[in-house]
Amino acid sequence: MDTLLLLKAAIMGVVEGLTEFLPISSTGHLILAGSLLGFDDAKAKVFDIAIQTGAIFAVILVYWQRIRATLVALPTERQARRFALNVLIGFLPAVLLGLLLGKAIKAHLFTPVVVASTFILGGFVILWAERRQQAAVRIHAVDDMTPLDALKVGLVQCLAMVPGTSRSGATIIGGMLLGLSRKAATDYSFFLAIPTLIGAGVYSLYKERALLSAADIPLFAVGLVFSFISAWLCVRWLLRYISSHSFVPFAWYRIAFGLLVLATAWSGLVTWAE
């Protein structure tokens, strides 16, 4: 295996892990990083989706006590069954719309300019959501969510099919706009990520299996390991951060970074791959 290719896989893994659970779009950053690194062929696109599984293992590790307690209590406790049902309900819209629209979206919207534009738009949405957050809160914990709340957040998550929107951004900020506290929206976003991203990774690997071979195992392994480590650090930091901070800095980051990408693309300073 080419050492340079493994280095690119490590960089992409770090990018995935650091951005997957922040409201700044991991897919968008992977598209931009892949464009700069020349790591953007058909196999690289499968790689981008597959290494999300590494990030999800980090969430499972951080939330393992809650996940284990829920699984053990499923046969006997109503609250555990309600929690599991809410995660399932939130997951289903992404499955259905992903199967219907995923191919068309990948064919037409996975470009740096689209990513930059949605970065900017998403930044302004975060600023709006934070301005109305305190007055709008009616759900302070994930266990207080109803199935209808879960369905609404699941539908909002589907907006993240457009690259640059951010799955975590859509679920967290969408949840806040729907009445969830910042902590409840973040927790639910993490739990919802587990079936969503594992499902996307397994489906992508199966669908594109003809592109892959045993020789690709080191490449994917490096990406998964670096994604796991960086995501574990990021999730632990984010849970501490939201206890006393808002998402406003991420909004301004999105706007500034999106403008930078558009400026470099239009000026010709950087030739972003299409």
Side-chain angles (χ1 to χ4, degrees), residues 84-200:
L85 177 63
N86 283 345
V87 173
L88 177 62
I89 289 173
F91 167 61
L92 289 178
V95 175
L96 297 175
L97 289 182
L99 292 174
L100 290 173
L101 303 176
K103 186 175 181 180
I105 289 174
K106 287 182 180 180
H108 300 290
L109 298 181
F110 272 54
T111 67
V113 172
V114 170
V115 170
S117 301
T118 51
F119 267 22
I120 296 169
L121 178 61
F124 285 112
V125 172
I126 292 174
L127 292 176
W128 175 52
E130 285 288 1
R131 288 190 63 180
R132 67 187 298 272
Q133 167 66 7
Q134 288 187 347
V137 173
R138 58 183 178 82
I139 298 172
H140 295 275
V142 171
D143 287 334
D144 298 329
M145 293 178 65
T146 67
L148 181 59
D149 293 321
L151 177 60
K152 290 178 179 178
V153 176
L155 290 171
V156 173
Q157 178 179 236
C158 295
L159 295 174
M161 294 173 63
V162 179
T165 301
S166 170
R167 189 210 62 83
S168 59
T171 51
I172 293 173
I173 304 305
M176 288 168 58
L177 290 171
L178 291 168
L180 276 69
S181 69
R182 189 179 293 108
K183 178 65 165 60
T186 302
D187 284 341
Y188 186 66
S189 176
F190 285 147
F191 291 125
L192 193 54
I194 295 173
T196 301
L197 298 187
I198 289 179

Side-chain angles (χ1 to χ4, degrees), residues 214-236:
D216 296 314
I217 292 177
L219 177 74
F220 280 72
V222 167
L224 284 168
V225 169
F226 277 87
S227 173
F228 169 80
I229 295 171
S230 54
W232 181 75
L233 293 171
C234 184
V235 169
R236 287 169 58 86

